[in-house]
Amino acid sequence: MNNAFKILLAAAAICLIWLSYDRITTPIKFIEQKDIREKEVAARLIDIRKAENEYRIQKGCYAANFDTLMYFLKNEKAKRVLKVGELTDKQLESGLTEQKALKLLATKGAGDKATYEELVKMGFQRDTTFVPMIDAIYGEGYNVDSIRYIPFSSPRQEFALDTATVTTGSAGIQVKVMECKAPYTSYLNDLDHQELVNLIETQTKLEKYPGLKFGDIQSANNNAGNWE
């Protein structure tokens, strides 16, 4: 009986130790995984923000869905100006502008050979080319097809994308706004359930979005990210 009791007592002690260890390590592991995953999710959100900002520059509004944004990235061209050489203070003071400099180069110095030779010597050049929008925003080799999907989501989920127009200031100025977001449940769902529930409850009580997002369709915030 003594041996059996000792075995039961030892088993109980081991069980308590394991429960205590698990209670301590589970939140730590959850936070570690949350931090790792949110770095990738935030990076993807930043890439979406780059595309949306360029879309607004070109179109005057934000893309309201990913199909529209993807078409823009894959089919539009971006103007790229190659700039070599800068006009000197002396040249600027004499009234030379970049437009005049380019005209001199085009006419091989008609009317002002000395300035033309100076420009040639300094390698002054301004060339405009058009490159694919994807390359202009991200550089060559970027996989744009993955931009709409939330990392670590299973099954694969898209970021929630929305646009709106809000009125700001006493003058009633209308401003185009947007937001793009990924809830905790999309990229943390396979982690400890109770820790996830606790995290969502905490954010909700603080009146904060339970996940990562940039922008806001309720007010203009310059497309700031809630992780920044």
Side-chain angles (χ1 to χ4, degrees):
M1 289 295 292
N2 285 337
N3 287 338
F5 179 74
K6 288 179 180 179
I7 292 171
L8 288 172
L9 190 61
I14 292 172
C15 184
L16 286 172
I17 292 171
W18 182 86
L19 288 173
S20 298
Y21 174 81
D22 186 63
R23 184 174 295 178
I24 293 171
T25 58
T26 295
I28 295 174
K29 290 178 180 178
F30 181 86
I31 292 172
E32 288 176 348
Q33 276 298 309
K34 174 179 174 290
D35 291 343
I36 291 171
R37 297 184 182 195
E38 288 196 330
K39 286 180 181 179
E40 288 198 35
V41 176
R44 188 69 55 81
L45 283 167
I46 290 171
D47 283 348
I48 295 170
R49 182 167 62 186
K50 289 177 181 177
E52 282 284 7
N53 286 340
E54 185 62 31
Y55 187 94
R56 186 180 183 187
I57 291 172
Q58 300 293 332
K59 308 292 185 180
C61 62
Y62 292 110
N65 55 68
F66 278 107
D67 287 340
T68 301
L69 189 62
M70 294 287 284
Y71 183 88
F72 170 74
L73 291 171
K74 291 183 175 182
N75 295 280
E76 297 283 348
K77 300 287 185 180
K79 184 168 70 172
R80 180 173 288 175
V81 179
L82 173 65
K83 299 184 69 173
V84 178
E86 296 291 340
L87 298 179
T88 65
D89 291 340
K90 182 179 179 181
Q91 289 171 329
L92 292 170
E93 289 170 3
S94 68
L96 184 65
T97 63
E98 288 202 355
Q99 187 176 6
K100 290 179 180 179
L102 292 173
K103 185 176 181 180
L104 278 174
L105 289 170
T107 59
K108 297 189 180 300
D112 192 345
K113 285 289 186 180
T115 302
Y116 167 74
E117 290 175 359
E118 287 179 3
L119 293 170
V120 171
K121 187 176 181 180
M122 67 192 297
F124 188 87
Q125 185 180 357
R126 297 291 186 270
D127 284 335
T128 300
T129 58
F130 292 88
V131 298
M133 190 62 67
I134 298 174
D135 294 348
I137 296 175
Y138 306 115
E140 295 182 5
Y142 183 85
N143 180 19
V144 73
D145 291 318
S146 65
I147 197 172
R148 67 202 298 168
Y149 300 111
I150 302 172
F152 303 102
S153 60
S154 181
R156 191 166 64 172
Q157 299 178 38
E158 289 190 3
F159 289 93
L161 184 62
D162 201 2
T163 60
T165 301
V166 298
T167 302
T168 63
S170 58
I173 300 173
Q174 290 193 320
V175 179
K176 302 288 185 181
V177 295
M178 67 156 297
E179 69 179 18
C180 187
K181 55 189 180 182
Y184 289 139
T185 52
S186 65
Y187 59 89
L188 302 177
N189 206 42
D190 61 328
L191 302 181
D192 186 83
H193 177 70
Q194 190 56 52
E195 291 297 326
L196 178 56
V197 169
N198 294 343
L199 177 62
I200 293 172
E201 286 183 353
T202 299
Q203 291 295 97
T204 302
K205 288 178 181 178
L206 294 172
E207 298 184 349
K208 295 182 178 180
Y209 176 69
L212 292 184
K213 63 172 286 189
F214 73 82
D216 195 321
I217 59 170
Q218 302 298 323
S219 61
N221 70 350
N222 199 31
N223 289 338
N226 66 350
W227 66 92
E228 295 173 316

